[in-house]
Amino acid sequence: MTQDNPHLSRRTALRTVAGASLVSMAGCLNNGDSPGNGNSTPSDEGGVIQQVTVEGTELVVEYSSEEEVDQINLVQPNGELFGQRETAAGSQQVSFEIGTSYEPGEYTVVALSGEETLAESSSLIQPEIGIQEVGLYRNNPEKPWDEVYGDTETDRLKNGEAYVTVENTGSGPEAVVELIFSGDVPNPVEDPRGSGMYETEQVVISPGETTDLFSGSFPFGSESEEGMGCSPDGNSGQFTVTVRTQVSGDQVSESFDVQYSGSTEMSDCEVSITEA
């Protein structure tokens, strides 16, 4: 992503000046005027940097109005300047758009008054994605399937569409860019064309957020050539769901046990999925 001036040194970053920006705040990362682990409580009264938070893809800094703060700088983990904001009269907040192309690590917020550094506060900004659940249309009709796919897709959905619930337990935003099903599913998708998610190249997940990824393929569709799927005698196996992320560059995988029983038609098949 484009930063305000990525080539300035840390020393220069503490003393340069740029434009102002305001935004609301949520989700505390770290507080106070000294480095922290990203989970501390609000600072004592009188602290210059009172709170550092992430809302969506923005980092928000709240500072004391009682101090003569005229500039807030944000320094990247590599020590270079990420961005800088002048403070506005009567304001107690500035924000930095970090997006989903930032470098995970410890960021330092610096409050300045002219050439004087009033305070510094360090926060770990790092996403952490986990897979919570996998489900099918036939077992979860309360999900917003029609909103995602439209009414015309209903019949196809009954024949194999799936969702994957993921959670970001980290302190920074993340983008999921690929969804893969492999193993004992009737229609494995090990190398999907595109992202493997329905009509989207990425899904942005804010810290603390849980969301559903809807597959663009039909992993639980017609029976595979290997015979995996529904049969009168039943079938069982294990499959793996993998999500690939952009910010951390990880591939997160979870395995699930699956049982198929009933009719040979997948639309009438009973499918039971449990954690492996």
Side-chain angles (χ1 to χ4, degrees), residues 2 25-26 28 43 65 89 98 105 111 126 143 173 190 195 237 260 267 274:
T2 302
M25 67 173 189
C28 183
S43 61
S65 60
I98 60 175
Q126 181 171 303
K143 292 287 184 180
E190 298 180 352
S195 68
Y260 306 94
S267 57
T274 57

Side-chain angles (χ1 to χ4, degrees), residues 32-246:
D33 303 334
S34 59
N37 59 10
N39 297 300
S40 59
T41 56
S43 61
D44 295 334
E45 286 191 23
V48 177
I49 301 172
Q50 297 189 328
Q51 193 158 259
V52 180
T53 66
V54 169
E55 179 180 306
T57 57
E58 289 185 313
L59 183 142
V60 181
V61 180
E62 181 178 1
Y63 56 91
S64 172
S65 60
E66 297 179 1
E67 303 291 338
E68 295 182 0
V69 179
D70 55 30
Q71 183 175 315
I72 302 289
N73 288 355
L74 181 63
V75 181
Q76 301 178 82
N78 63 5
E80 295 184 346
L81 181 69
F82 183 95
Q84 47 197 12
R85 299 288 182 265
E86 288 183 349
T87 61
S91 171
Q92 291 180 261
Q93 292 181 5
V94 296
S95 69
F96 299 85
E97 175 63 38
I98 60 175
T100 56
S101 298
Y102 66 93
E103 177 189 354
E106 189 173 87
Y107 284 72
T108 301
V109 174
V110 184
L112 300 172
S113 177
E115 294 292 315
E116 179 186 0
T117 297
L118 299 178
E120 296 186 26
S121 177
S122 295
S123 300
L124 180 65
I125 305 178
Q126 181 171 303
E128 186 70 32
I129 295 296
I131 297 171
Q132 304 299 314
E133 183 182 38
V134 176
L136 308 184
Y137 175 92
R138 62 175 64 81
N139 297 335
N140 298 271
E142 75 283 357
K143 292 287 184 180
W145 300 97
D146 288 346
E147 294 178 20
V148 176
Y149 299 98
D151 294 337
T152 58
E153 294 287 338
T154 301
D155 289 339
R156 296 179 65 200
L157 293 173
K158 293 179 180 179
N159 292 321
E161 200 54 273
Y163 72 88
V164 178
T165 302
V166 295
E167 181 182 12
N168 183 357
T169 59
S171 55
E174 181 61 279
V176 173
V177 294
E178 192 169 19
L179 175 63
I180 304 169
F181 289 83
S182 58
D184 296 328
V185 292
N187 185 27
V189 184
E190 298 180 352
D191 185 19
R193 290 174 295 179
S195 68
M197 296 177 290
Y198 190 78
E199 292 189 349
T200 184
E201 295 182 358
Q202 67 174 26
V203 174
V204 177
I205 309 172
S206 302
E209 181 182 6
T210 299
T211 192
D212 291 332
L213 310 175
F214 290 86
S215 66
S217 61
F218 295 86
F220 295 91
S222 302
E223 183 177 338
S224 68
E225 294 181 359
E226 291 76 19
M228 183 52 63
C230 268
S231 71
D233 296 330
N235 252 330
S236 64
Q238 188 176 99
F239 68 92
T240 299
V241 173
T242 300
V243 297
R244 186 167 64 84
T245 61
Q246 176 172 293

